[in-house]
Structures are given as structure tokens and as C-alpha cells.
Amino acid sequence: MTHCILSARHLSKVVSIEEGNLCILDDISFQLEAGDSLAIVGTSGSGKSTLLGLLAGLDLPSQGSVALAGYDLGQLNEDQRARVRAEQVGFVFQSFQLLESLTALENVMLPLELEQRSSQPRQQATALLERVGLGKRLHHYPRQLSGGEQQRVALARAFACQPKILFADEPTGNLDRATGQHISDLLFELNDEQGTTLVLVTHEERLAQRCQKQLRLEGGRQVSEHGVA
Amino acid sequence: MQSIIRTSLHRLMLGLRQLWRERRSSEIHILFLAIVIAVATSTSIGYLSARLKASMQGQAAEFMGADLRLSGAQAATPQQIEASLNLGLQHAHVVEFSSVVSTEQYLQLSSIKAADAAYPLRGQIISQTAADPAPQSGGYPQPGEVWAEQRLLDALNVHLGDLIEIGRISLKVTRILTQEPDQAADIYSLMPHVLMHLDDLPATDVVQPGSRVRYRDLWAGSPPALEKYQEYLEAHLEPGQRVQGVKESSGQRVGTALQRAEHYLNLASLITLLLSGIAVALAATRFANRRLDACALLRCLGQTSSQSLSLYAVQLGALGLGAGVIGAILGWAFQYFVFYLVRNLVQVELPPTGLGPALLGLSTGFTMLIGFALPPLAALGQVPPARILRQDSLPMPISRWLAQGSALIALLILMWQLRLDTQLIFVVLGGACIIAVVVGAALLWGLKALKNALQQAPLHWRLGLGQLIRHSLSTVGQVLAFGLILLSMALIILLRAELISNWREQLPEQAPNQFAINIQPDEQQAFSQRIDQVTGQTPSLYPVIRGRLTQINGSSAEQRARPDSQGERAIRRELNVTWSQELPLGNQLLSGTWWPSTPNKELSRVSLDAELAESLGIKLQDRLTFDFGSEQREVQVSSLRSVNWDSLQPNFYVIFEPGSLEGLATTYMTSFYLSAQANTALVQLARDFPSVTLIQVDALLAQLQSILAQVSLAVESLLVFVLAAGVILLLAGLLATLDERMRQGAILRALGAQRQLLQRARLTEFAFLGAASGFIAFLGCELITAILYHKLLGMDWQPHPWLLCLPLLGALIISAAGLLGTNRVLRASPLELLREH
């Protein structure tokens, strides 16, 4: 039996600028069920990343509501939203967002240590890094790794806490085509292995095609959707 | 409860682990170093001043024979003594009086000191015997015995073992008195000294009600008990009693020098703390800025703002503790090393000072960390998690009140901890603020004007200065920051040099160490010639007449004097007065005229020490009556002088107009320097001029020189810390803007800019920053020293043209440090730099 893990209702985001108000997102609504994969596509500046931020509870909408894993994020304060993220959510970013001063292993161990999720964070992180093919680069710092390798570390970190839903913001945006292909393969493999729901922001049609559902944005508006209820 | 403890412990361990993992970051190094310097500085200053103070007080106590003295026309009351014993203090009782000491054939008026066996509580009596002329320390005359100066034995023609009479009893002279504590203060005393046991005093029957007797009660003990007791005594003084601690006592001897040194130490502490505080603030800001993304990531990973904040607080706390402990150890080791280096210069035993200064240093480090690092850390707690997606999402700016308030509170706490002088703080901070505002505004205007002028300039000028002009506010901030660093360093160097040269002038190496008194008028020429032969210098002989000030404007002088004032002490005894055509060396005319050219036919004129005049309420043109035993003279005050009592020259409260004391019994006195090798010449001098009394003040001189050496040492060594703090701040300041410079350099190189062009552009930029900072330092230094000299240090201020080299120096220092710091722009590949920044 499936159930709704993420839903957005009439989401809008308006920001104030010098010239007046700027509408970044306008009336976005959809639902996603557990285990689904959704690609949010659109050109640069279409509001993809802003939408991802609202869905993950990193920011609040000007209007509308987001329900994530049964929680109405608009009703929660920032600390409560952080708790939801800690328990339910994983992230992968375009610019990897690894901590420069930590080794690959330490970066992957970080979420496990923060939440005391694992009694053996080192072993678990090592296993994940081996899984993404970096078993021999455990003690390398991010600057000693290529872009593709850094994104693999980020993937290992994202899956370390076995999140229910994974948000990926242009995960291959900073990588060449072959490396990007390798990373997206890995992302979908891990997603399948752990049964994670995936919300992916991308401007690459090929990557978007690998998701079960797609939501297209243009100028902050939802122009078409495929498979989204 | 258990789960709270477990969670807290977990977060603590997590914070520590993160800190250990991030140990290679440059901002952590700078923050660590800034705290190490701050703690090492305050620890070292704490130890230096505590040990120097203790050593100076120890010396002063030896010269007073005690830590605390109560003197007056009546002895301490039983209640006063009981209160001291309750506090666990040691007590000694001394009675001083003048009396005739006699044998069957001879009489000699002498100064007699009767003391109980506890005397002296500090220092030792030095005495010798005829058989063993080597002076020995310690001991005390037993009942029935006296120890007397050689000149008394000569005057009475007695030898050791003979009996002398004091009042109604005979006492046996058992040792020759060479030196006794607190004798040095009494170098003008003409009478030979005798020391006897207090138990013998009643039998002499010399001390009767109404006799001129001076009582001294002495105490020694632990500093807290003494402090408490001094407070008690001051609140329970009987009329005519005067209490004196070692501080007041040492202050009398080297008064102004010590006071200035204290101001200097205060200033150096303040500046070092300010410099390291700003370095901590800069490093903490960089620490926070570089963790904005990491903090946003933590928020994405589900950490609440307080959880991520606590993680960084643990890191900063652990960093502060580690750096603090290392700083405290370094500070302790440094002062130890300094004292080891000058062990021959400072010959007194330096007392250990315990853990106090180290703990104070540590707390200084933490106060600084909390006060200066709290605002950037608080900003970290405000990072929105959405920053992870959009880099332009900045933390909510924290309240300016919080940022500046916490730094101000930290500064106030530090000043309170170090007991800094508030007047000094206002002068330095006020001066710096005025300069910052005025010059900052001028600089902003100048940068705007430069913009137009720059359009025709070569590319490297446009690149280097263009960067500064585009961010003009940030440029002004940097120039002011570097300017304040240079200002502080220049101020400390300048004051150090002037203070030390001022002290050296005051107490030259060959300062007089011998006083000769009682030179008869007919011996005057021969004595002067002999001194010239022995020392190679003709001494100035001052006439001395003993007289008492009895009336001021026709009314009794005694009624004018407040009890226990300087004036009261001066009129209660006979004064040594003199006449002189010239204003003596070390005296400064404050008001009136030095012997007006129009003669006053009616009255002769005198010049008075200004402090004495103030104490007795005497003004210019007042009429004074002096009693010279056989006759009285009325004179008019024509000038007031300041007298440098620290100089080892004959000094006089009252100087008469030449010719006004004719017909009165006059002797002469002088002071001169005789090297230790010329001892035989001294013996010969004493033999050839038997009536002249020679008084050696080597011990007093040695004390003065030792104190000045120690103070100079403290001043010199503090300079090291101020400079270290300045350099660290300079590095922290450069590091704070390094990222932007590295990025810009990398982009230019990627666009094909030659290394030479980049180097020239950076040189132009840094040289401008340095020169502008140097100019601010020059202005600030002159403004602050002008106020400081005038208001606090009591020194004459003159412009310091050499300070104009500060802009050049600033340009050199900042350019060198800047080029060194950004050297990687030229060496590393542009790609590598762009990826990093």
C-alpha cells in the first residue's frame, strides 16, 4: 500500500526587492507517494531551487502549505522543521557542500555522529564509501578529490542516515557528461536499494527522464506535469 | 536527567572531535595564536608587575624596617595594637628622641632610638666591632647595652666596652652602628645615632610628659592582613598619628618615576589587550564566515540553530581553554626568562607569586573570547538553512548593540580585572576615536577624489587602488585598523624611550653617593679643593643655617598647619635653610620672580617649596618669621618652586636671598660621587676634616637604581608583547581580506595578467594602505602623547618630527606582510585558487 509522503498546496514565494515585490513561485501544487521519484525541471531562474528549498522545509512559502512525511511544515517552527529534516530527509547539492576541513570519511560520518544514529559510524561510513567506489580515498580531503569523487562522497553522506526522502539539487550540474552519468546511475541505484523517495531538481532532460514523475517550471509557474497528481 | 547529561556529553565530544578534525584551518590557527598572545601577555604582565611590586615593596619595607608604620607624638593605643595582633601581624615598638649623651668629660647631643627586641621587622641592622671591622647584619643591643655610630664614639672619645650616660643610667657601648633600617630617610640629620633597648628607656627618665618624642609602631605580616589593618588604622587614627605603608614609603623615594611606570604598564596592558581583542574579533569573524556554509549544511542535516551554535561554542571554548593554558604557561615562562636574563641587575630575591596571575591571564583570554567572538558566533546561529541552495542568503545581521555592547562589556571587565586607570583609558580611547572619525571622513573624501585622478593612471595603479576605491568603506575600515595598530606600537615605543631617558637623567650612573655636612666656613675652600682632587669635579657647596618657621603674616605658624600635614612636620622641627644666587638644579620656578631686580629695602625675600607653601596656605608676598635661635628674621615670599626630591642633591624647602642671612652661624653641605675603589680617599678625607660629617647613601642609591632598573626592565619587556600582539593583529587583519584578494588575483591571472602586473598592483594597494595607516598613527601618536604627557605623566611635550617616518614604515610593513600573505596568488595555479575560493 502506498501513501502520500510529500504534498504541496498552492505554494507561492514572493520576495521584496528595491523595485517592489518579485514573485519567484506562483501557485504550485502536487503530491508524491513514498518510493516515487520526481524531477523538477526548468531553465535557470525558473524557481526550481526555491521550490526544492520550500519542499525540504529549508524556507517557508509566502502562501500555501507543504506536508512532508505527515508534518505540515508551515505549522512547525524552525527547530521542529530541523527535527523533521534530521529524521526524514537527505540532501545532495550541485556544489557538493562537503566540509573542506574534514576527510571523505569524516564528512560521511558527520550526520551519523550528529544524531547518534549509529553505534558504529566509522564502519557504516566506510561501507558506504566503499559502496560508491571510494574505499581507497577514505582519508582524502575534498580538495584532493575530483568533482565526481566529491559528489560520490556527498551521495554517501546523503544516504548514510537512510532518509525517507532525498532532495537533490542539480546533482550533476557541476560535472562533465560521463561523470554526471556515473553519478546519476549511483543515485538511482542507492535510491532503489534503500527505497527512498527522490525529489530531483535538474535542467538536464536525460536525467529528468529517469524519474517516474516530472514537474516543469517556467517563470515560477507550473507549466506541465507528468505523472504528478 | 540522565538523557540530558548523555546528550550534553555527546555534543561536547562531537564539538571536540570537529575541532580536532579542523585543526589545520588557518582561521583556527590565528584565533588560537591571538588568544595565546592575549593570555601570555596578561599573564606575563601580571607576573612581572606582581613580582616587581613585591620586590620593590620588599626593598621599601627593608628601608622602613616594617611593612606598615604608625608614627606620631603618641604611641599606638592598646586597642590599635590588639587589633593588629588579632589579625596575626607582628608588632615592634620604637621611641625616638634627642638627648645629650655624656661621659665624664664630654657631651654630645644625639638622636636616640629605643626599640624592643622585635625591631626591625624587615631588613637588618648592620654593625661592626673594632676587632672585626667587616660589617655584620642582624642582632640587637641587649638591655644595658647601646650600639652607637663611630662619630659619637669619636665625639665622646670612648671605645667599645666603655660606658656612656643617657639620662640617669649608664649603658655599655658594645658595637658600632653602621646602618639601621629607615636611617636613609634621615640623611640630613646632623646628630649621631644611638640604638638602645626599649626596656632601658624608663630608667633613663629622659622621656617625660611634654618631651619631644616621636613614637613609631611597626607591623609586618601577610599582605591581606596588612591591607585590612591599614584600613582599620586609617579609620581609627588618634590626633597627630600618621600611618604609612610601603607603597607610600617607596613612593616618597622614587615617587614620580614609579607613578609614571605604573601609568606606562597600565597603558601597555590596555593597548596589548585592545590589539589582541581586535585580533580575536577578526579571527572569530573569519572563523564564523568560513563556517556559514557548514552551518547551513548542519541545519539541512537536521540540527537546530541552538544545536549548531552549541557545537561551535564547544569548539571555541575548547580552543580558548587550550590556547589559554598554553598562553599562561608561555607568559609564566617568559617572565621567568626575563628575570633570569637580568638576575645580576635585580639583586633582590624575587618572591614567587603563585597561580594568581596565570588564572587572571586565563580569565582575560576567556573574557576576550566571549566579548569579541560572541557577536560573530551569534551570527552563525542565525544562518538560514536555505543558504545551502542560495549563497546570497546571509544570516540575519545581529544587533549592532549586541556586537558593540559585548565588546565594550568585555573591555570594561578586562580593565576592571587589570585595575586599569580610567583617566588613561579615556585619553587613549578618546584620542583614538577622534582620530578615527576625523581621519576616516577625510579618507572617504580623499578616495572619492582619487577616483577621478586615477582614470589616466597606469593599469597597476588602477587595479590596485581601484579595488580600494570600489570598497571605500571597507578600505577606510582597514586603514583605521592598521593605523590603530601602528599607533599603538609607536606610542609604546615612544613612551618607553622617553620614560627611560627621563629616569636616566634623573639618576645618572654617577649620581652622588656621599653627603658631606657640617663643613665649617673656614674649611670651605680646602674641602672643595680636596673633593676636586679626588673626584675631578668641583662640588657646589650650599650654606646651611638651622632655623624654625614661627610666624606667617604675624600669626602663629603652628595654628596654620593642619595636623599631620607636610607643613605641620616642617614647622615642628628646625629646617635646614640656605641662600643662593642661582635657582638650584632640579628646581623649577612655578610662580613669582627669582630675586626681583628691584631691591626690597624693608624686607629680604625667600623662595619656598610650592608643596610646603600650599600645605601651610602661604602665598606670594606673605610675610614669614624665622627663628634662628639667637635672633629672628622677617622675610617676604617672592617665589614658589617645585623641588625634585628624588634627585640626590642637597634640596631645601626655603632658600633666602643672598646676603639676607649674614651674621648667622653657617655651615656648608655638599654631595658628590665617589667610586667604591676610592675608599681610602674617603678615609683620608674623614681624617683631614674631622669636624665634617660624611654620610654614605650607597644603600639608598642602590635601592633607587635597582627600582629604576626593574621598572625599565618591565617597560622594555612589555614592548615585546605589544609588538607581538600588533603583528598578530596585522596578520589577522590581512587574513580577513585575503580570500577576496586571492580570488581577484586568480581571475586576473586566468585572464592572462602577467605576474609582474599583479605584483605591482598589490604593491600599490598595500603601500597605499600602509602609508595612510602610518599617517593616522602619526597624528594619533602626537595627539595622545600631548594629552598623556600633560595630564598624566607630568612630562614636557614636544613634537616628534621623526614620527613622520611612520607613513613610510607603515607602507613598508603592510606591503611586506601583504605581499608575503598573498604570495600564493603568484605561485599556485589560477585553477587551484579559483576552486578554493
Side-chain angles (χ1 to χ4, degrees):
Chain A
M1 192 182 121
T2 57
H3 66 279
C4 172
I5 191 163
L6 180 68
S7 81
R9 285 179 193 280
H10 309 295
L11 280 188
S12 295
K13 182 72 180 176
V14 179
V15 292
S16 298
I17 55 170
E18 273 178 32
E19 292 82 11
N21 285 339
L22 177 67
C23 182
I24 302 175
L25 285 176
D26 187 14
D27 197 23
I28 311 284
S29 295
F30 68 88
Q31 273 194 27
L32 210 57
E33 287 174 358
D36 278 353
S37 57
L38 167 72
I40 302 171
V41 289
T43 51
S44 287
S46 58
K48 305 186 297 286
S49 293
T50 307
L51 178 59
L52 185 86
L54 296 181
L55 296 176
L58 298 178
D59 201 358
L60 287 176
S62 308
Q63 273 183 356
S65 64
V66 176
L68 174 66
Y71 297 99
D72 182 351
L73 295 183
Q75 300 301 312
L76 305 180
N77 64 27
E78 172 50 36
D79 285 352
Q80 290 165 328
R81 289 199 299 276
R83 188 102 309 270
V84 173
R85 286 197 296 272
E87 287 164 0
Q88 317 283 344
V89 178
F91 285 99
V92 177
F93 306 101
Q94 180 178 4
S95 51
F96 324 135
Q97 298 292 356
L98 298 179
L99 297 189
E100 289 295 318
S101 51
L102 303 189
T103 62
L105 181 64
E106 289 164 349
N107 263 296
V108 180
M109 281 163 65
L110 184 65
L112 297 170
E113 289 180 323
L114 284 172
E115 285 305 314
Q116 291 178 278
R117 289 264 180 87
S118 166
S119 56
Q120 295 179 314
R122 186 170 291 271
Q123 285 80 345
Q124 200 177 326
T126 308
L128 267 166
L129 281 168
E130 280 167 356
R131 169 72 187 83
V132 298
L134 291 175
K136 293 186 176 163
R137 313 292 298 271
L138 298 180
H139 301 295
H140 286 208
Y141 286 93
R143 64 173 179 277
Q144 297 166 319
L145 301 172
S146 70
E149 287 167 336
Q150 288 191 48
Q151 195 61 304
R152 279 192 271 163
V153 176
L155 279 178
R157 181 180 65 188
F159 283 101
C161 285
Q162 298 174 319
K164 288 205 173 79
I165 183 163
L166 182 77
F167 291 96
D169 182 27
E170 303 270 14
T172 58
N174 275 2
L175 304 170
D176 61 72
R177 191 172 169 153
T179 313
Q181 181 67 41
H182 181 59
I183 290 295
S184 56
D185 289 347
L186 204 52
L187 174 64
F188 282 97
E189 278 169 34
L190 287 166
N191 201 41
D192 287 343
E193 282 168 23
Q194 295 198 3
T196 314
T197 307
L198 177 66
V199 177
L200 184 83
V201 161
T202 183
H203 60 272
E204 281 185 52
E205 288 298 335
R206 282 186 332 107
L207 183 59
Q209 295 299 331
R210 297 182 70 167
C211 293
Q212 295 157 344
K213 298 174 180 177
Q214 285 147 31
L215 180 78
R216 187 169 300 277
L217 294 180
E218 256 176 43
R221 285 178 159 271
Q222 186 174 350
V223 290
S224 73
E225 58 264 359
H226 165 73
V228 180
Chain B
M1 183 68 189
Q2 230 174 4
S3 83
I4 293 176
I5 295 176
R6 208 175 44 237
T7 312
S8 311
L9 212 61
H10 166 70
R11 304 218 60 88
L12 178 71
M13 294 312 294
L14 193 63
L16 292 178
R17 258 202 309 272
Q18 285 300 101
L19 180 64
W20 177 248
R21 287 168 182 166
E22 297 194 36
R23 65 189 181 279
R24 288 186 187 87
S25 341
S26 60
E27 64 275 10
I28 288 198
H29 295 167
I30 285 283
L31 193 56
F32 189 83
L33 225 52
I35 299 172
V36 166
I37 295 267
V39 175
T41 308
S42 48
T43 303
S44 214
I45 289 175
Y47 273 115
L48 274 172
S49 38
R51 292 185 74 182
L52 284 177
K53 207 165 147 191
S55 120
M56 287 181 205
Q57 291 197 344
Q59 280 184 317
E62 281 186 18
F63 269 79
M64 202 166 77
D67 295 329
L68 189 68
R69 177 169 73 190
L70 180 76
S71 49
Q74 62 167 301
T77 62
Q79 290 85 351
Q80 285 172 330
I81 293 173
E82 196 186 328
S84 72
L85 299 178
N86 288 341
L87 284 167
L89 297 174
Q90 290 170 272
H91 172 251
H93 189 56
V94 178
V95 182
E96 285 179 343
F97 55 95
S98 302
S99 178
V100 169
V101 177
S102 60
T103 59
E104 279 180 9
Q105 285 116 17
Y106 299 99
L107 296 173
Q108 172 65 48
L109 185 63
S110 303
S111 168
I112 299 168
K113 180 184 282 175
D116 58 21
Y119 174 85
L121 296 173
R122 294 277 184 252
Q124 288 186 318
I125 301 165
I126 299 173
S127 63
Q128 62 191 83
T129 59
D132 180 12
Q136 282 182 358
S137 302
Y140 189 77
Q142 297 300 308
E145 292 180 356
V146 289
W147 294 3
E149 281 187 314
Q150 180 68 49
R151 52 184 169 139
L152 178 73
L153 304 191
D154 294 343
L156 297 177
N157 196 22
V158 292
H159 302 283
L160 291 184
D162 290 348
L163 291 175
I164 56 172
E165 283 174 24
I166 299 176
R168 294 185 186 278
I169 60 167
S170 294
L171 297 164
K172 187 172 159 188
V173 185
T174 52
R175 291 186 76 84
I176 298 163
L177 189 60
T178 313
Q179 192 185 314
E180 58 199 302
D182 71 0
Q183 177 194 23
D186 203 15
I187 52 173
Y188 297 108
S189 163
L190 294 171
M191 295 179 284
H193 286 212
V194 177
L195 187 63
M196 63 184 279
H197 201 286
L198 190 65
D199 288 355
D200 291 329
L201 185 62
T204 62
D205 222 9
V206 173
V207 177
Q208 300 290 340
S211 307
R212 266 191 190 278
V213 174
R214 190 146 190 89
Y215 293 93
R216 289 175 196 264
D217 284 275
L218 309 177
W219 287 278
S222 69
L226 284 165
E227 201 174 321
K228 208 181 266 183
Y229 187 56
Q230 188 166 358
E231 273 173 28
Y232 164 84
L233 269 186
E234 276 160 5
H236 296 87
L237 279 183
E238 296 290 324
Q241 282 185 334
R242 177 169 173 245
V243 65
Q244 200 179 25
V246 281
K247 201 175 165 196
E248 294 84 1
S249 163
S250 61
Q252 270 181 345
R253 296 209 178 86
V254 278
T256 47
L258 267 188
Q259 218 171 21
R260 278 181 199 157
E262 210 163 286
H263 283 312
Y264 181 87
L265 292 178
N266 254 323
L267 184 69
S269 315
L270 173 66
I271 285 178
T272 316
L273 288 181
L274 267 181
L275 292 182
S276 14
I278 298 169
V280 166
L282 282 179
T285 306
R286 189 173 154 85
F287 176 89
N289 285 344
R290 295 199 116 196
R291 274 154 191 76
L292 288 176
D293 288 343
C295 194
L297 178 74
L298 288 178
R299 304 292 297 279
C300 285
L301 293 177
Q303 296 292 292
T304 62
S305 67
S306 58
Q307 280 175 328
S308 31
L309 205 57
S310 71
L311 208 61
Y312 291 117
V314 166
Q315 292 185 33
L316 275 186
L319 190 78
L321 188 66
V325 169
I326 291 176
I329 294 173
L330 277 181
W332 174 84
F334 181 82
Q335 57 87 26
Y336 216 81
F337 178 66
V338 169
F339 279 114
Y340 175 77
L341 281 184
V342 294
R343 62 197 179 284
N344 294 328
L345 195 69
V346 182
Q347 282 166 350
V348 289
E349 185 71 22
L350 286 166
T353 34
L355 275 176
L359 292 177
L360 190 69
L362 259 179
S363 75
T364 302
F366 268 99
T367 313
M368 197 172 273
L369 192 62
I370 292 168
F372 288 90
L374 189 67
L377 188 69
L380 214 47
Q382 307 285 321
V383 176
R387 181 187 162 88
I388 207 82
L389 299 172
R390 296 177 62 87
Q391 292 286 305
D392 54 354
S393 301
L394 285 170
M396 293 272 291
I398 63 152
S399 153
R400 185 169 285 189
W401 285 108
L402 172 67
Q404 291 168 355
S406 72
L408 195 69
I409 289 172
L411 215 54
L412 289 176
I413 293 175
L414 292 174
M415 287 163 185
W416 173 76
Q417 276 178 339
L418 294 173
R419 296 178 186 178
L420 296 182
D421 186 323
T422 42
Q423 205 186 352
L424 185 80
I425 292 164
F426 282 121
V427 169
V428 175
L429 293 187
C433 284
I434 292 171
I435 291 292
V437 170
V438 173
V439 179
L443 208 63
L444 262 182
W445 178 83
L447 280 173
K448 273 189 185 161
L450 199 63
K451 195 174 180 179
N452 298 328
L454 212 60
Q455 281 168 0
Q456 305 300 322
L459 181 60
H460 66 269
W461 277 79
R462 276 180 284 140
L463 279 177
L465 297 185
Q467 177 75 4
L468 296 179
I469 292 169
R470 265 190 301 282
H471 304 110
S472 51
L473 263 180
S474 135
T475 303
V476 170
Q478 281 182 55
V479 168
L480 287 179
F482 291 141
L484 288 181
I485 301 170
L486 290 176
L487 160 66
S488 314
M489 290 155 91
L491 194 63
I492 289 296
I493 294 174
L494 182 77
L495 284 180
R496 168 197 149 272
E498 296 208 354
L499 276 183
I500 289 177
S501 76
N502 194 281
W503 290 331
R504 291 210 174 118
E505 268 171 35
Q506 185 181 319
L507 210 62
E509 250 175 52
Q510 297 201 342
N513 60 353
Q514 308 284 338
F515 274 74
I517 56 177
N518 265 349
I519 305 164
Q520 300 304 312
D522 56 346
E523 295 174 319
Q524 189 186 348
Q525 207 179 353
F527 189 82
S528 184
Q529 278 171 0
R530 174 64 72 82
I531 297 296
D532 195 357
Q533 278 170 15
V534 177
T535 66
Q537 284 180 334
T538 314
S540 302
L541 263 59
Y542 294 86
V544 180
I545 300 109
R546 311 265 297 166
R548 190 185 292 272
L549 173 63
T550 54
Q551 291 189 348
I552 301 166
N553 291 333
S555 60
S556 160
E558 278 189 31
Q559 286 171 2
R560 295 278 290 260
R562 289 190 308 275
D564 198 37
S565 63
Q566 185 189 6
E568 196 241 356
R569 288 192 292 280
I571 57 171
R572 212 173 41 205
R573 62 186 168 98
E574 281 194 323
L575 290 172
N576 291 320
V577 304
T578 191
W579 77 78
S580 174
Q581 183 66 45
E582 307 294 332
L583 185 68
L585 209 67
N587 285 220
Q588 201 181 351
L589 200 64
L590 297 181
S591 59
T593 319
W594 184 255
W595 310 149
S597 48
T598 50
N600 185 338
K601 284 176 188 160
E602 197 188 331
L603 284 176
S604 299
R605 288 164 297 203
V606 291
S607 174
L608 239 60
D609 166 47
E611 285 181 15
L612 176 71
E614 195 194 337
S615 174
L616 289 170
I618 299 174
K619 298 193 173 48
L620 287 176
Q621 311 307 329
D622 278 357
R623 290 169 174 240
L624 310 178
T625 308
F626 283 87
D627 188 344
F628 292 102
S630 53
E631 56 184 291
Q632 291 195 336
R633 298 267 163 107
E634 191 176 17
V635 287
Q636 191 170 36
V637 180
S638 68
S639 66
L640 299 176
R641 298 162 286 127
S642 68
V643 180
N644 181 6
W645 294 100
D646 299 342
S647 77
L648 287 173
Q649 301 288 342
N651 280 315
F652 297 91
Y653 280 125
V654 188
I655 300 179
F656 281 69
E657 193 176 8
S660 56
L661 294 174
E662 269 174 18
L664 294 171
T666 306
T667 60
Y668 288 82
M669 75 181 292
T670 188
S671 65
F672 54 94
Y673 172 77
L674 207 59
S675 67
Q677 289 77 19
N679 213 16
T680 46
L682 192 68
V683 173
Q684 195 57 43
L685 194 70
R687 276 198 195 131
D688 293 348
F689 297 91
S691 65
V692 173
T693 306
L694 292 170
I695 299 167
Q696 297 181 33
V697 289
D698 284 320
L700 175 64
L701 195 65
Q703 186 210 17
L704 287 175
Q705 275 167 343
S706 164
I707 287 176
L708 289 190
Q710 291 178 49
V711 171
S712 307
L713 165 73
V715 165
E716 299 268 1
S717 54
L718 273 183
L719 185 66
V720 176
F721 282 109
V722 178
L723 294 183
V727 169
I728 283 293
L729 178 51
L730 212 60
L731 284 178
L734 280 174
L735 205 64
T737 55
L738 198 62
D739 286 348
E740 179 54 32
R741 290 197 167 95
M742 297 283 257
R743 217 178 93 78
Q744 194 205 23
I747 292 173
L748 284 170
R749 275 189 64 200
L751 292 176
Q754 298 286 313
R755 288 173 186 219
Q756 201 183 18
L757 174 73
L758 284 183
Q759 207 156 18
R760 279 188 188 167
R762 281 186 306 135
L763 193 63
T764 313
E765 183 186 352
F766 286 126
F768 177 84
L769 274 181
S773 311
F775 187 66
I776 288 182
F778 159 71
L779 287 180
C781 221
E782 289 294 48
L783 178 73
I784 293 176
T785 49
I787 305 174
L788 271 184
Y789 282 22
H790 183 64
K791 293 271 179 207
L792 274 178
L793 301 174
M795 286 159 62
D796 288 331
W797 181 83
Q798 279 173 339
H800 308 89
W802 63 267
L803 281 177
L804 273 170
C805 73
L806 276 176
L808 180 67
L809 206 66
L812 282 175
I813 294 176
I814 306 274
S815 301
L819 289 181
L820 210 66
T822 53
N823 199 25
R824 257 195 88 217
V825 176
L826 300 182
R827 286 189 293 107
S829 80
L831 181 65
E832 193 184 329
L833 291 172
L834 283 172
R835 275 175 69 180
E836 274 179 25
H837 298 279

